[in-house]
Amino acid sequence: SILLGSSLLQYVLAIGQESCVSFKSSSSSFAVVSNKKAAPIFLSEDEWPGVQRTAFDFASDIEKVTGISPALSNVTSTAKSSTSPILVGTLGRSSLISAVLNHTNLDVSSVNGTWEAFMVKEVKNPLPGLSNALVIIGADKRGTIFGMYDLSEQIGVSPWYW
């Protein structure tokens, strides 16, 4: 049954969300963990406290699934990393996400002004010094929180786990 369960992981989808997680490596996917190193998670210090707390849960969920703990850091628009990071933030609140939007002209019209919405997108050159990042942007704090918990669910952690 373990073999069957692991073979079905590739078909697991989060409730109501398009899957953005794969357990197979490819050149067109973002690696949350690669070569025994996790992508660091970056937020700005001005982010909502609840989003900061959820980022801790998100990092813990990645460790539960992979055995590798990602670094979790408060950063500014001058963030640098040798590994492609995960950038998390709320529109209108996070100075980090504002810097990404100013640097990339990323289209956030699908979530802007929408209650509890989020988007997850791999972005090339999101900030000076970063060649690539997975960006989780919430329209409001709940949207940002839901975005992280959605990814946790897609990697196999129940949203009901506390």
Side-chain angles (χ1 to χ4, degrees):
S1 70
I2 293 173
L3 180 58
L4 176 61
S6 64
S7 68
L8 292 176
L9 279 177
Q10 62 184 325
Y11 301 106
V12 174
L13 296 175
I15 299 171
Q17 300 297 328
E18 183 178 320
S19 177
C20 59
V21 172
S22 172
F23 290 93
K24 295 180 179 178
S25 180
S26 81
S27 61
S28 65
S29 62
F30 183 88
V32 173
V33 173
S34 180
N35 297 322
K36 298 183 181 181
K37 189 168 185 179
I41 302 169
F42 294 162
L43 300 99
S44 59
E45 285 185 320
D46 54 5
E47 186 54 77
W48 294 104
V51 172
Q52 296 273 353
R53 170 67 173 96
T54 302
F56 177 81
D57 289 346
F58 180 50
S60 176
D61 290 347
I62 291 169
E63 182 178 18
K64 284 180 187 112
V65 172
T66 66
I68 300 167
S69 181
L72 180 60
S73 303
N74 286 320
V75 299
T76 65
S77 60
T78 58
K80 293 195 179 5
S81 176
S82 60
T83 305
S84 295
I86 300 171
L87 308 178
V88 179
T90 307
L91 286 175
R93 177 72 179 207
S94 169
S95 58
L96 178 62
I97 294 304
S98 294
V100 169
L101 297 179
N102 290 334
H103 190 262
T104 64
N105 295 317
L106 181 64
D107 180 13
V108 294
S109 61
S110 64
V111 297
N112 192 19
T114 305
W115 188 50
E116 298 180 351
F118 66 90
M119 64 182 283
V120 178
K121 184 168 180 73
E122 186 172 2
V123 177
K124 302 291 182 202
N125 301 309
L127 294 170
L130 295 178
S131 61
N132 190 42
L134 185 66
V135 181
I136 303 171
I137 300 174
D140 54 20
K141 67 180 169 184
R142 286 186 182 144
T144 309
I145 290 167
F146 291 158
M148 286 184 280
Y149 282 135
D150 181 68
L151 284 179
S152 288
E153 182 181 12
Q154 288 189 44
I155 64 172
V157 178
S158 169
W160 298 105
Y161 179 84
W162 186 276

